[in-house]
Amino acid sequence: VQTCALPILAPFYVGYLKGIRKECQGITAQVEDVFSGFAGVTSICGNWLLCALVTLVGFVFCVIPAFVLWPMGIITSYFLARGQIEGLTAFVNAWNLLRKRPILILWFNVLALFSILGIFVCCVGALFTMPVAMAAMCKLVEQALDEDSLGSALSPAPVP
């Protein structure tokens, strides 16, 4: 499904992550942020296609490698939302981050199960669980990159 819907969903997903990043930085996101992913549609679709193929290869070999590689699409989308749309730099950065911080695999799968739970409970529930899971995934990648602006703002000040 991900590969077939790729040209339509990928730019919207990247635009949605741009909006989430704006909200996390304290800037009000606008509706046009969702459509801002169409600026680099060829690079976005190329990176997403590569992630879909890597995940598909994981499913071909066994289910476990697919769950290990599943976060690649989301992490790649985060890097695309940051503006890394030249070539396959977003995919390479996502691969390096996933190798550097393998705990992301566990957390992304937990958040994915949370979003799928909204579909199983009632189909309308996905309208609530999926955006929460996507925002949590965005913050998770920021924390893995040590760019968490909210976390650093909430940390206690050093005592003199």
Side-chain angles (χ1 to χ4, degrees):
V1 173
Q2 180 182 6
T3 308
C4 296
L6 182 76
I8 299 168
L9 293 180
F12 286 115
Y13 190 78
V14 171
Y16 186 70
L17 286 178
K18 285 182 181 180
I20 290 174
R21 288 191 70 229
K22 276 187 172 181
E23 287 289 332
C24 290
Q25 295 170 351
I27 303 168
T28 304
Q30 304 294 327
V31 175
E32 57 265 9
D33 290 331
V34 175
F35 299 101
S36 66
F38 284 98
V41 72
T42 55
S43 180
I44 289 171
C45 287
N47 278 287
W48 259 52
L49 181 62
L50 185 59
C51 290
L53 290 175
V54 166
T55 307
L56 181 66
V57 168
F59 271 118
V60 167
F61 285 112
C62 186
V63 174
I64 294 173
F67 283 109
V68 169
L69 297 171
W70 194 3
M72 286 292 296
I74 300 161
I75 298 172
T76 300
S77 298
Y78 177 82
F79 283 116
L80 289 167
R82 287 179 60 192
Q84 298 179 4
I85 58 171
E86 297 85 25
L88 297 175
T89 55
F91 178 81
V92 171
N93 289 339
W95 176 257
N96 290 336
L97 180 64
L98 202 56
R99 282 189 17 221
K100 181 180 166 187
R101 309 251 179 164
I103 192 70
L104 290 173
I105 296 167
L106 171 70
W107 285 113
F108 274 101
N109 285 312
V110 167
L111 290 170
L113 288 175
F114 172 73
S115 66
I116 291 170
L117 185 65
I119 296 171
F120 287 134
V121 172
C122 68
C123 291
V124 179
L127 295 174
F128 300 105
T129 59
M130 290 184 77
V132 170
M134 288 174 62
M137 289 175 188
C138 186
K139 291 304 287 181
L140 189 64
V141 174
E142 282 183 3
Q143 289 176 354
L145 292 170
D146 296 325
E147 295 178 350
D148 186 20
S149 57
L150 182 62
S152 61
L154 295 177
S155 60
V159 179

